[in-house]
Amino acid sequence: MTPLNDLPVDLDRALLVGRVWRPAPIDGPSVVAVRQGRVVDLTPLAPTLADLLDRPDRLAIVREGQGEDLGPVAELLARSLAGDATAGPVLLAPCDLQPVKAAGVTFAVSLLERLIEEQAGGDASQAEVVRARIHALIGSDLSQLRPGSPQAMALKAELQARGQWSQYLEVGIGPDAEVFSKAPPMASVGTGAWVGLLPQSEWNNPEPEVVLAVDSRGQAVGATLGNDVNLRDVEGRSALLLTKAKDNNGSCAIGPFVRLFDEHYTLDDMRQDDVSLRIEGEDGFVLDGVSHMREISRDPLDLVRQASEFHQYPDGFMLFLGTMFSPTQDRAGQGSGFTHRQGDVVRIATPRLGALVNRVGLCNGIAPWTFGVRALYASLRKRGL
């Protein structure tokens, strides 16, 4: 892990915005942009990232807005990866007032793995048997099946007739997407931070995803990377435990920066991104995988529409777009599947967004979440902002 490898390959023209924690005497968060390889504090122009993303002139502010120079972005990343907040600013998640939403079962592979979790009842040892049974029933390639299409509805009718319908199939190939609340405002962690697992979970994994930054008008204005930390055994026991499986201390990681859409990086570019995942364990275990955004079953803008058509988000929102990658590589013996161990390093990357890097711990053993919206406004008020 080197800082320059965690930045977009076209850094010189990427419009990157984010948040940093500034140590004393500021002792609080600041909104920043990356300009010519250096970090510029734009907080006097936009006190929150939600404010900046909502401004029609956000591109001009990022390119030209005056602010304090906080030093090279490579040094910021190095401090963040080292977890050293005493020597200078470190990265936070590039969102603040926005609720964090997530779309699930948006890739065919993800759909199959959710079915496996459900039918295995959260028991990892049963996964291979269930996987073979599901593949025999509906096949292993649903990538050409468009949710809500006549073909999808015909498959639904056939599976219902066989008594094989599932809540995961409903959101995987039906007309309505699964969109759930992943984390409240201010709860997400950034690159270099620890992510957390419930201590009782024995079957879990990272979920590498692209995350859209959406403004108060429901417009996607930029993209970043996220880890939708997933507890397969908890959700597999019951879909009603989704919140327990998904929203815990440190269970939502986003970063390193939001890249704003412009002439150099568009929504269509994002639709073609390849998102890589690498897991390195202290036990020597290594796992690599990749998600191809072009294989998503639902278009990202349709997911934005379904998330916001009948609900307003005056501070905007962040939207995880889902993953096609559920690791199944055995880690502790034949048929054991994959699960995290404490100390794992997870790197989620794509060339034009950079890399999100986190270490894995337990949600009751990592730093607790203590800085919320009231603390943010107290900090801004103290600075006259």
Side-chain angles (χ1 to χ4, degrees):
M1 296 183 296
T2 60
L4 290 178
N5 290 338
D6 292 343
L7 293 166
V9 293
D10 56 344
L11 177 63
D12 58 330
R13 64 182 188 180
L15 293 184
L16 304 179
V17 297
R19 296 169 61 243
V20 302
W21 180 269
R22 296 191 61 181
I26 298 295
D27 201 28
S30 286
V31 175
V32 299
V34 178
R35 193 182 299 158
Q36 297 179 337
R38 301 188 69 82
V39 182
V40 179
D41 190 336
L42 297 180
T43 314
L45 302 177
T48 68
L49 197 63
D51 285 312
L52 177 60
L53 296 180
D54 224 41
R55 291 186 59 155
D57 60 347
R58 58 185 171 272
L59 300 186
I61 291 177
V62 172
R63 288 172 174 144
E64 304 167 4
Q66 297 300 305
E68 182 181 353
D69 188 321
L70 301 183
V73 66
E75 292 183 7
L76 170 66
L77 272 170
R79 282 193 301 272
S80 302
L81 293 172
D84 184 7
T86 60
V90 292
L91 279 165
L92 301 171
C95 54
D96 39 41
L97 301 182
Q98 304 97 320
V100 181
K101 312 290 287 186
V105 201
T106 56
F107 289 82
V109 172
S110 176
L111 165 60
L112 295 173
E113 290 302 317
R114 296 293 86 76
L115 288 171
I116 291 163
E117 289 169 16
E118 179 184 45
Q119 295 193 19
D123 183 354
S125 67
Q126 298 300 309
E128 283 302 322
V129 173
V130 175
R131 185 175 289 110
R133 185 167 67 237
I134 290 175
H135 285 180
L137 179 66
I138 63 176
S140 59
D141 183 10
L142 299 177
S143 61
Q144 301 305 310
L145 194 67
R146 307 313 297 177
S149 67
Q151 294 82 2
M153 294 303 94
L155 176 60
K156 174 179 179 178
E158 174 66 19
L159 291 171
Q160 285 178 318
R162 297 188 189 187
Q164 295 292 329
W165 193 242
S166 160
Q167 58 203 342
Y168 292 107
L169 282 164
E170 180 64 52
V171 297
I173 67 176
D176 298 315
E178 178 193 21
V179 181
F180 59 91
S181 293
K182 171 64 180 177
M186 305 291 294
S188 304
V189 300
T191 198
W194 288 71
V195 294
L197 308 170
L198 286 182
Q200 61 266 42
S201 176
E202 297 180 351
W203 188 21
N204 47 68
N205 61 267
E207 292 193 348
E209 306 188 24
V210 171
V211 182
L212 287 180
V214 183
D215 69 13
S216 65
R217 295 168 288 278
Q219 302 298 309
V221 298
T224 183
L225 296 169
N227 184 353
D228 178 14
V229 179
N230 184 42
L231 309 182
R232 303 190 70 178
D233 47 0
V234 175
E235 185 180 353
R237 284 160 46 205
S238 169
L240 297 182
L241 294 174
L242 178 66
T243 298
K244 188 177 185 68
K246 289 290 190 179
D247 185 9
N248 303 293
N249 180 39
S251 67
C252 180
I254 302 177
F257 298 95
V258 169
R259 180 166 184 173
L260 299 180
F261 294 133
D262 65 354
E263 68 274 20
H264 301 299
Y265 183 70
T266 67
L267 260 169
D268 283 338
D269 291 326
M270 183 274 294
R271 289 184 175 103
Q272 298 301 313
D273 278 337
D274 296 325
V275 182
S276 66
L277 168 70
R278 184 174 180 85
I279 303 169
E280 298 182 55
E282 293 180 344
D283 57 350
F285 178 86
V286 176
L287 183 148
D288 290 291
V290 64
S291 286
H292 307 288
M293 287 301 298
R294 62 184 174 273
E295 296 182 15
I296 196 168
S297 301
R298 299 182 188 270
D299 185 75
L301 289 187
D302 181 55
L303 294 172
V304 171
R305 179 190 63 79
Q306 293 206 37
S308 58
E309 185 175 18
F310 300 111
H311 200 314
Q312 297 72 46
Y313 291 93
D315 298 312
F317 61 97
M318 307 295 287
L319 179 62
F320 280 74
L321 295 179
T323 186
M324 65 174 286
F325 192 71
S326 294
T328 59
Q329 180 178 327
D330 290 339
R331 186 167 193 176
Q334 182 69 29
S336 66
F338 171 83
T339 195
H340 270 307
R341 292 183 179 175
Q342 292 189 62
D344 283 354
V345 174
V346 179
R347 186 177 191 271
I348 297 167
T350 192
R352 289 175 290 189
L353 295 176
L356 171 66
V357 182
N358 300 100
R359 194 174 294 274
V360 177
L362 300 180
C363 63
N364 60 347
I366 63 175
W369 174 37
T370 59
F371 195 94
V373 174
R374 290 189 303 158
L376 170 64
Y377 274 88
S379 175
L380 294 174
R381 185 169 59 247
K382 179 181 178 182
R383 287 180 267 172
L385 299 172

